[in-house]
Amino acid sequence: MERRRLTNGRGTRGHIAIEPTERRLLRRIWIDPERCGGRPCIRGHRLPVELVLELLASGISPEKICSDWYPSITPTDVLACLAFATHCVRHGDRWFLKEFPTAAGRH
């Protein structure tokens, strides 16, 4: 089990246990230029990560996504999509935000 250091609101440090680890979640996402136009997908499925993220953003629970929308994926796959989005934002891989204007271009 991976442990990460974090700071709480009072400035003291603590540890939280991450299970499953972010790395394990990210292994569930794959990018193949020959499938789905090279968009990131859930491994073993032709289901783009962005579709799962759109459902989550619209307020649909991970359980509903797995039972009603895409019964072939698991709640852990949904978490992998969130981990992938977090990883992209954290590391500056913002290709999925290219449709939005930059801060300089906003009025």
Side-chain angles (χ1 to χ4, degrees), residues 28-76:
R28 291 176 169 266
I29 305 300
W30 66 324
I31 299 172
D32 183 349
E34 301 296 320
R35 296 189 179 157
C36 295
R39 293 181 294 176
C41 293
I42 296 172
R43 185 172 295 281
H45 303 276
R46 291 179 182 249
L47 177 60
V49 168
E50 66 188 76
L51 294 180
V52 176
L53 294 174
E54 286 175 2
L55 291 171
L56 288 169
S58 68
I60 299 172
S61 72
E63 292 78 18
K64 274 281 195 205
I65 292 171
C66 296
S67 65
D68 297 351
W69 290 79
Y70 300 107
S72 62
I73 67 170
T74 66
T76 305

Side-chain angles (χ1 to χ4, degrees), residues 2-105:
E2 181 178 330
R3 295 181 76 77
R4 289 196 180 167
R5 216 171 244 278
L6 68 106
T7 302
N8 66 18
R10 291 169 278 178
T12 59
R13 291 196 171 271
H15 286 90
I16 59 171
I18 306 294
E19 183 67 32
T21 64
E22 182 180 3
R23 183 171 292 142
R24 185 175 297 144
L25 288 172
L26 290 175
R27 279 190 235 138
R28 291 176 169 266
I29 305 300
W30 66 324
I31 299 172
D32 183 349
E34 301 296 320
R35 296 189 179 157
C36 295
R39 293 181 294 176
C41 293
I42 296 172
R43 185 172 295 281
H45 303 276
R46 291 179 182 249
L47 177 60
V49 168
E50 66 188 76
L51 294 180
V52 176
L53 294 174
E54 286 175 2
L55 291 171
L56 288 169
S58 68
I60 299 172
S61 72
E63 292 78 18
K64 274 281 195 205
I65 292 171
C66 296
S67 65
D68 297 351
W69 290 79
Y70 300 107
S72 62
I73 67 170
T74 66
T76 305
D77 292 325
V78 175
L79 288 176
C81 292
L82 286 171
F84 178 78
T86 301
H87 177 83
C88 288
V89 171
R90 181 182 302 134
H91 296 286
D93 300 333
R94 298 185 183 151
W95 58 269
F96 57 89
L97 296 176
K98 65 184 170 190
E99 295 178 19
F100 295 95
T102 62

